[in-house]
Amino acid sequence: MSDETDQLTDQELPSLIQAAYAPDTFQDLSATWATQLSEHMSAIMSGEGRVLNWSDPKELVDAASGMMHSPAGHSFSELIETALASGQNLHHPRYIGHQVPASIPSAALFDATGTVTNQPMAICEMGPWGTAVERAVLRALQKKIGWNPETCAGLLTSGGSLANMTALLTARNVCFPEAWQQGVPDHAVIVAQADAHYCVTRSAGILGIGTQRIVAAPLDDRRRMNPQQLDGILCKLKADGKKVIAVAAAACATPIGAFDPLDDIANVCEKHDVWLHVDAAHGGGTLMSSTHRTLLNGIERADSIVWDAHKMMFVPALCAAVLYRNKEHRYAAFQQDAPYLFDPSSPGLAEFDSGISTVECTKRTLGFGLWGMWSMYGEELFEQLIDHTFALTAFFHRQLTEAADFQPLHSPQCNIQVFRFVPESMAAASNEDISALQLRVRRALIESGDYYIVQTKLDGQAALRVTIINPLTTRTDLIELLNAIRRMADQTAD
Ligand SMILES: Cc1ncc(COP(=O)(O)O)c(C=O)c1O
């Protein structure tokens, strides 16, 4: 205890606590914050400045660390200014990189309401409105899938990776009810889309199944799971004495955004009586579009679904839903007793305690942003976001097809496009040299701050990849991207 604390009366607080908790301070700082943020967002959204403020990561760590330890301290506005000047500008129209959206800015204000008042949930009592909002959001997503909210269940969790792990844990425990206490038997396997996100394999490692017991389901020529071959694999696994915990399909898979034929896959799973898990972390939002939702036909037959709202529902990270078709499975993931939290004398209330079915005990109120946007604008907002970004991607694909020096590597099913730049001078170059060109151009482009795009590997070779996940990106930005890539190739040529 500090000397200062020792000498204070009940009415007095130590000076720093007083400063940190003063209501006036909070009011002043929030006004400053609102001005700084709105000016910053307005500039970025109109395309001013660089997309990524490229810096050596080590220098950034030193700078952040220096601010924490500088004897003179720093003002609030200086700290916020530094954060804004040093970040990735996802709201810049030329941000078309990873599957992280230019989120709807005002959605964050709902999140902030939860964080300022600190409403973390584990039990309903600790975040009654957060719990209500989460349930309402889950209900809305379940209806979009085509489920009856009375007979299904779900939860929100911190990201698609954790969501997939939670769903696969449930599948594991349903398949092997003793696994929680006794571990997983040797003959357990998971069959996963060959392009499944790495978190599926990682889940197998974490859940004691083992990464080597992921069996890859082969893909067709559009990188979608092939149902006939899946059937063959399930027959063979059965003949070999293996027990399949789940078939993990993708809607869509990360590399090129391929949607598996879920209806056909559901037929195969039904025939073999196997749990169907659909990772719709990216593609779930497509259900909001009456034009594109057919890509997910059959999803309503899945046993579990992961749907990230912080991807194609354009709310800030994180807000990932795990959805179970059968309500009975809602407690199957975690079979734990915590009498200090869960009150067996009021089982009706326990139904609303999120901690029973999530990895997290204390959990942020993850549903606020989605709930706020849905309540303010209606579900049509999400339909427009899907239709608009998918249309922009189709436009970009046409530009690539028409340009002699670009090669689109697939027709886009959604808002992901992978392609290569192969100028005439490189037409006869080796695969290695063409791969090296993609990496070189991409690095130069992001360091320039003109665009943010990503790189990937497809069939062992490097390629460029965009996710058009910013509704502010224009057709001109996309046309100009091709010119920027050509320019970077010239500037970086030896
Ligand atoms: C298909 C798919 N599943 C899961 C994830 C992981 O989601 P998160 O980054 O929210 O953990 C991703 C991320 O891009 C994804 O594309």
Side-chain angles (χ1 to χ4, degrees):
M1 202 188 297
S2 70
D3 288 351
E4 186 184 4
T5 304
D6 220 10
Q7 291 155 17
L8 294 173
T9 67
D10 273 359
Q11 281 70 42
E12 293 169 321
L13 279 170
S15 55
L16 289 181
I17 297 182
Q18 229 178 75
Y21 282 80
D24 288 353
T25 307
F26 181 70
Q27 191 168 7
D28 291 348
L29 297 188
S30 6
T32 306
W33 179 90
T35 306
Q36 282 180 289
L37 262 288
S38 41
E39 283 172 2
H40 172 81
M41 292 304 281
S42 159
I44 293 299
M45 290 195 282
S46 59
E48 282 175 32
R50 296 152 68 91
V51 185
L52 171 64
N53 295 297
W54 177 264
S55 305
D56 176 352
K58 193 179 164 309
E59 282 173 20
L60 284 184
V61 175
D62 289 345
S65 189
M67 293 186 103
M68 289 177 76
H69 302 293
S70 79
H74 294 274
S75 72
F76 175 81
S77 61
E78 192 188 345
L79 294 170
I80 296 292
E81 198 52 53
T82 306
L84 295 176
S86 317
Q88 165 69 279
N89 290 313
L90 274 72
H91 295 81
H92 195 295
R94 294 185 174 196
Y95 165 86
I96 38 177
H98 285 290
Q99 295 156 260
V100 184
S103 52
I104 312 161
S106 38
L109 302 179
F110 288 92
D111 282 341
T113 308
T115 50
V116 170
T117 59
N118 203 17
Q119 301 286 302
M121 303 147 51
I123 53 170
C124 178
E125 289 167 10
M126 286 298 288
W129 190 240
T131 303
V133 160
E134 170 163 334
R135 288 306 168 100
V137 160
L138 290 167
R139 225 187 250 181
L141 300 184
Q142 287 156 351
K143 282 190 193 158
K144 278 287 153 193
I145 291 167
W147 288 348
N148 174 0
E150 297 304 319
T151 57
C152 58
L155 55 103
L156 293 181
T157 192
S158 304
S161 302
L162 200 55
N164 275 300
M165 195 201 79
T166 306
L168 291 171
L169 175 58
T170 297
R172 187 200 79 171
N173 291 351
V174 170
C175 189
F176 294 107
E178 310 298 320
W180 185 260
Q181 289 84 13
Q182 295 172 14
V184 188
D186 287 347
H187 63 297
V189 295
I190 289 177
V191 178
Q193 222 265 16
D195 271 348
H197 189 266
Y198 72 82
C199 70
V200 171
T201 312
R202 182 179 280 190
S203 300
I206 295 170
L207 301 179
I209 297 159
T211 59
Q212 290 182 357
R213 287 200 252 142
I214 291 273
V215 179
L219 308 179
D220 65 14
D221 57 357
R222 295 172 65 191
R223 302 189 87 87
R224 301 172 307 176
M225 192 190 287
N226 181 317
Q228 287 76 35
Q229 286 179 291
L230 173 67
D231 188 30
I233 283 181
L234 293 183
C235 289
K236 168 128 187 20
L237 287 169
K238 189 172 181 192
D240 291 348
K242 305 289 185 201
K243 178 101 174 132
V244 180
I245 289 175
V247 166
C252 53
T254 313
I256 65 163
F259 285 75
D260 287 338
L262 298 178
D263 235 347
D264 295 341
I265 291 169
N267 287 339
V268 177
C269 288
E270 225 165 74
K271 174 181 156 191
H272 291 272
D273 193 20
V274 168
W275 181 285
L276 172 58
H277 171 67
V278 177
D279 178 1
H282 186 83
T286 312
L287 287 167
M288 305 304 292
S289 160
S290 40
T291 310
H292 297 289
R293 60 170 290 134
T294 51
L295 285 167
L296 291 136
N297 278 354
I299 194 166
E300 68 284 357
R301 298 170 66 190
D303 294 285
S304 55
I305 296 170
V306 164
W307 177 347
D308 281 4
H310 62 271
K311 292 190 169 63
M312 292 305 288
M313 304 284 277
F314 292 80
V315 299
L318 291 159
C319 179
V322 181
L323 302 150
Y324 301 115
R325 178 161 51 88
N326 183 347
K327 195 174 184 173
E328 297 300 310
H329 296 140
R330 66 197 184 288
Y331 301 137
F334 308 102
Q335 302 166 6
Q336 275 180 309
D337 194 21
Y340 48 89
L341 279 183
F342 312 120
D343 178 1
S345 67
S346 50
L349 262 189
E351 271 290 331
F352 292 94
D353 293 342
S354 72
I356 301 178
S357 46
T358 56
V359 170
E360 300 103 324
C361 175
T362 303
K363 179 177 94 170
R364 277 202 169 182
T365 41
L366 302 169
F368 268 165
L370 182 58
W371 169 81
M373 292 303 94
W374 198 311
S375 306
M376 278 177 72
Y377 297 105
E379 60 179 77
E380 292 77 15
L381 168 64
F382 306 107
E383 176 161 39
Q384 287 184 11
L385 286 163
I386 293 287
D387 289 351
H388 181 65
T389 51
F390 281 29
L392 278 175
T393 314
F395 170 84
F396 184 55
H397 178 257
R398 285 198 296 279
Q399 302 308 303
L400 292 169
T401 309
E402 285 163 16
D405 47 356
F406 282 89
Q407 299 173 351
L409 299 187
H410 62 101
S411 295
Q413 281 194 292
C414 59
N415 60 332
I416 296 174
Q417 179 69 60
V418 180
F419 61 101
R420 279 198 193 102
F421 173 56
V422 187
E424 207 185 338
S425 59
M426 297 279 291
S430 66
N431 287 339
E432 288 73 30
D433 286 348
I434 292 174
S435 280
L437 173 66
Q438 313 309 309
L439 301 182
R440 197 179 81 222
V441 164
R442 188 258 170 184
R443 162 85 17 199
L445 192 59
I446 67 162
E447 285 189 17
S448 76
D450 290 347
Y451 281 87
Y452 186 78
I453 67 171
V454 302
Q455 66 199 37
T456 188
K457 255 190 180 177
L458 218 49
D459 298 325
Q461 285 182 49
L464 301 171
R465 179 174 180 273
V466 296
T467 306
I468 300 178
I469 197 156
N470 182 345
L472 305 175
T473 300
T474 64
R475 286 172 163 74
T476 308
D477 291 323
L478 297 172
I479 294 169
E480 280 303 314
L481 171 63
L482 304 191
N483 291 329
I485 289 172
R486 292 177 181 121
R487 212 166 45 243
M488 290 302 151
D490 284 348
Q491 283 173 15
T492 56
D494 324 312

